[in-house]
């Protein structure tokens, strides 16, 4: 790869703007898709399996796309850009169609397409940042992604609260405001990716790297071989991070799937079936609560860069996970809807850390010519816990937690504490050499 030059703040800003569109789409998945399932008649224990699309497409697509992008170069289109542009188009199409879902299985099918698009865009984007920035600017680059993650998801969640106030009535089996939220997401997805592509050039590979790319263009199975090879040679710190991610991401899916139903029970004493109007109010309030934790995310993302440099990424991430856990443990016991904002603030700080700090723990141990495939493998470490959650948590919720979404949130808080403890045992190569 050609030499990296120092970028100013606004250049780093422009290259990350596309993350806003990706994360607006992801925010709708977190907060709007499960209520749509509820409106279409799903029971609580069906929700985990209906969410299987996200982790499965992540597992199949991200490492493959990452490996392919490592071995791609086009003088006009670049290395990573073709992948996140195709991903953005897929997201926009799925978001436009999603509100027209007439059944559970149509909604679940469109979620597969939406997630495939998000996953096609995500890891080449992270590799794009690692390609462009030197070691000193990487913390700012990754935390800029946290900032846009928070901003995109905040606006997605706010749309769930604001649009029902101004757009009333139903279209088909869904409230009309759902259409407005998803149509806005479609515009944001393609528009912001286009902006980053327009304003940021990729660094051309050196002659040696071009030779490596050409000599390593294998057959159809070459990306799979590359993934298994990379896993076999994976730095120890990534194995340690995988244990943290097991508990962390299982917990997150428990929260996202159950937050609106938990708030409906603790504040309105309602379920989707017992009182649909109260549940719709709870969904709107959940959008506001989740919007707030994403505000906290983009307000704290840059501060965490300084703390990570001063105290080490590991200590910062462990602390952030712990305060997120405390917030979730308190969350189901709150009956005043306004106090929910205080409980979820800790989760917002934890989410800011999750979106950027773990990459700082591992990036210096990853060979630069394999950024794409290893960013994809990190995503496998995210989606495998999600798949385990999707397959197992419906049974746990039904047989051990009495289908009570409040207990699901408590369960998530306990898992985040375990994840925080596991983080403290992570050691990078630099730390091992210094001991």
């Amino acid at each position: 790869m050609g030499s990296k030059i120092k970028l100013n703040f606004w250049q780093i800003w422009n290259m990350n703007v596309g993350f806003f569109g990706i994360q607006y789409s992801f925010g709708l998945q977190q907060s709007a898709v499960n209520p749509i399932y509820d409106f279409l008649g799903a029971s609580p224990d069906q929700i985990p399996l209906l969410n299987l699309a996200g982790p499965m497409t992540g597992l199949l697509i991200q490492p493959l796309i990452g490996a392919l992008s490592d071995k791609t170069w086009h003088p006009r289109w670049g290395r990573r850009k073709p992948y996140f542009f195709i991903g953005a188009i897929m997201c926009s199409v799925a978001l436009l169609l999603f509100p027209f879902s007439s059944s559970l299985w149509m909604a679940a099918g469109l979620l597969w397409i939406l997630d495939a698009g998000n996953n096609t865009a995500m890891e080449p984007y992270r590799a794009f940042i690692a390609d462009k920035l030197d070691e000193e600017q990487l913390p700012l680059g990754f935390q800029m992604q946290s900032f846009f993650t928070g901003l995109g998801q905040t606006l997605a969640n706010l749309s769930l609260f604001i649009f029902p106030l101004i757009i009333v009535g139903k279209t088909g089996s869904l409230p009309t405001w759902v259409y407005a939220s998803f149509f806005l997401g479609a515009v944001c997805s393609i528009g912001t990716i286009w902006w980053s592509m327009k304003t940021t050039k990729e660094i051309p590979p050196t002659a040696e790297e071009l030779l490596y790319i050409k000599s390593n263009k294998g057959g159809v199975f070459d990306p799979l071989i590359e993934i298994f090879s990379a896993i076999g040679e994976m730095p120890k710190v990534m194995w340690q991070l995988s244990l943290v991610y097991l508990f962390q991401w299982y917990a997150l899916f428990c929260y996202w799937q159950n937050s609106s139903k938990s708030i409906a029970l603790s504040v309105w004493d309602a379920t989707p079936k017992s009182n649909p109007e109260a549940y719709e109010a709870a969904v709107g309030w959940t959008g506001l609560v989740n919007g707030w934790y994403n505000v906290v995310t983009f307000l704290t993302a840059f501060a965490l860069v300084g703390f990570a440099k001063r105290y080490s990424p590991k200590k910062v991430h462990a602390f952030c996970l712990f305060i997120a856990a405390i917030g979730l443990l308190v969350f189901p016991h709150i009956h005043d809807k306004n106090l929910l904002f205080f409980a979820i603030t800790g989760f917002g700080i934890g989410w800011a850390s999750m979106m950027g700090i773990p990459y700082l723990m591992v990036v210096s141990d990853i060979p630069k010519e394999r950024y794409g495939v290893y960013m994809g493998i990190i995503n496998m470490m995210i989606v495998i816990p999600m798949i385990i959650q999707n397959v197992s948590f419906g049974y746990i919720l039904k047989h051990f937690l009495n289908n009570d979404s409040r207990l699901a949130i408590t369960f998530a808080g306990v898992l985040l504490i375990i994840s925080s403890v596991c983080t403290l045992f992570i050691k990078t190569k630099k730390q091992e050499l210094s001991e």
Side-chain angles (χ1 to χ4, degrees):
M1 195 178 299
S3 59
K4 299 178 181 182
I5 58 169
K6 281 272 192 292
L7 302 182
N8 64 39
F9 180 87
W10 294 111
Q11 287 172 315
I12 297 174
W13 173 281
N14 282 332
M15 72 189 288
N16 279 289
V17 163
F19 233 69
F20 172 84
I22 294 171
Q23 296 299 330
Y24 188 106
S25 168
F26 191 55
L28 287 177
Q29 286 178 234
Q30 284 179 7
S31 298
V33 167
N34 288 315
I36 286 174
Y37 287 152
D38 293 328
F39 290 135
L40 293 172
S43 63
D45 53 277
Q46 284 181 305
I47 296 292
L49 272 177
L50 288 167
N51 277 275
L52 193 58
M56 282 302 293
T57 53
L59 181 65
L60 298 170
I61 289 173
Q62 283 204 21
L64 279 173
I65 294 295
L68 284 168
S69 71
D70 282 341
K71 294 182 169 62
T72 296
W73 176 254
H74 189 279
R76 183 177 177 187
W77 303 111
R79 171 178 280 180
R80 317 291 184 184
K81 288 181 183 179
Y83 297 96
F84 47 80
F85 184 64
I86 291 167
I89 291 172
M90 291 172 68
C91 284
S92 294
V93 170
L95 287 167
L96 285 171
L97 294 176
F98 207 100
F100 296 98
S101 299
S102 55
S103 67
L104 269 178
W105 299 110
M106 182 178 172
L110 282 168
L111 183 60
W112 281 84
I113 298 169
L114 179 59
D115 259 308
N118 265 337
N119 284 303
T120 300
M122 187 84 74
E123 289 324 298
Y125 215 128
R126 292 203 190 277
F128 177 57
I129 304 307
D131 290 342
K132 286 284 289 184
L133 301 178
D134 62 21
E135 196 167 331
E136 189 183 331
Q137 290 194 306
L138 274 174
L140 179 59
F142 283 130
Q143 286 309 110
M144 187 77 80
Q145 290 193 349
S146 283
F147 172 84
F148 278 115
T149 294
L151 187 62
Q153 293 186 17
T154 296
L155 294 183
N157 282 293
L158 285 179
S159 77
L160 305 191
F161 179 76
I162 294 168
F163 285 173
L165 301 178
I166 55 178
I167 303 170
V168 296
K170 279 196 166 188
T171 302
S173 53
L174 297 176
T176 306
W177 59 262
V178 171
Y179 291 77
S181 291
F182 277 78
F183 292 170
L184 181 58
V187 173
C188 288
S189 183
I190 195 70
T192 57
I193 288 283
W194 176 84
W195 178 267
S196 287
M197 291 178 67
K198 190 81 173 168
T199 57
T200 310
K201 290 183 177 180
E202 294 196 64
I203 300 173
T206 62
E208 292 82 4
E209 286 170 329
L210 270 175
L211 189 65
Y212 173 80
I213 289 169
K214 287 176 182 174
S215 63
N216 281 275
K217 280 197 181 293
V220 177
F221 297 106
D222 190 53
L224 285 172
I225 295 166
E226 170 67 10
I227 292 163
F228 285 112
S229 165
I231 291 172
E233 298 163 20
M234 198 160 76
K236 183 180 174 184
V237 67
M238 286 182 65
W239 290 107
Q240 295 168 332
L241 183 64
S242 69
L243 185 63
V244 173
Y245 273 10
L246 173 63
F247 297 105
Q248 174 183 302
W249 287 97
Y250 196 113
L252 291 178
F253 251 39
C254 290
Y255 171 77
W256 290 326
Q257 291 167 6
N258 292 279
S259 53
S260 57
K261 288 188 284 291
S262 174
I263 289 174
L265 283 166
S266 63
V267 176
W268 277 271
D269 194 26
T271 67
K273 289 180 180 175
S274 70
N275 191 339
E277 291 78 16
Y279 179 64
E280 196 170 331
V283 170
W285 198 257
T286 305
L288 209 56
V289 169
N290 287 349
W292 171 247
Y293 88 65
N294 282 291
V295 168
V296 173
T297 292
F298 72 74
L299 290 177
T300 56
F302 294 127
L304 292 182
V305 176
F307 287 123
K309 285 181 177 177
R310 187 172 178 184
Y311 298 109
S312 87
K314 174 176 78 173
K315 289 177 182 174
V316 168
H317 192 57
F319 176 76
C320 290
L321 286 175
F322 181 75
I323 58 175
I326 299 304
L328 291 193
L329 291 173
V330 172
F331 193 87
H333 304 286
I334 293 172
H335 304 296
D336 181 340
K337 64 182 181 179
N338 295 303
L339 294 179
L340 290 165
F341 295 103
F342 293 99
I344 208 64
T345 296
F347 188 87
I349 296 169
W351 185 233
S353 181
M354 293 173 208
M355 287 292 96
I357 299 298
Y359 297 94
L360 297 181
M361 288 191 256
V362 301
V363 73
S364 60
D365 286 18
I366 296 172
K368 70 180 191 313
E369 68 275 6
R370 297 178 108 174
Y371 277 154
V373 69
Y374 274 121
M375 291 298 169
I377 289 169
I378 289 173
N379 191 68
M380 289 172 70
M381 292 163 12
I382 294 171
V383 298
I384 289 171
M386 289 181 176
I387 292 170
I388 295 170
Q389 193 272 356
N390 289 150
V391 172
S392 66
F393 192 65
Y395 183 86
I396 293 169
L397 185 58
K398 188 174 182 179
H399 293 91
F400 298 101
L401 303 178
N402 198 31
N403 256 347
D404 189 328
S405 293
R406 293 166 296 188
L407 294 177
I409 306 293
T410 303
F411 187 74
V414 172
L415 292 181
L416 284 183
I417 288 177
I418 297 170
S419 183
S420 174
V421 172
C422 291
T423 304
L424 294 172
F425 290 96
I426 288 179
K427 280 187 180 178
T428 64
K429 202 178 287 180
K430 284 183 182 176
Q431 287 174 312
E432 289 176 346
L433 290 172
S434 65
E435 289 180 357

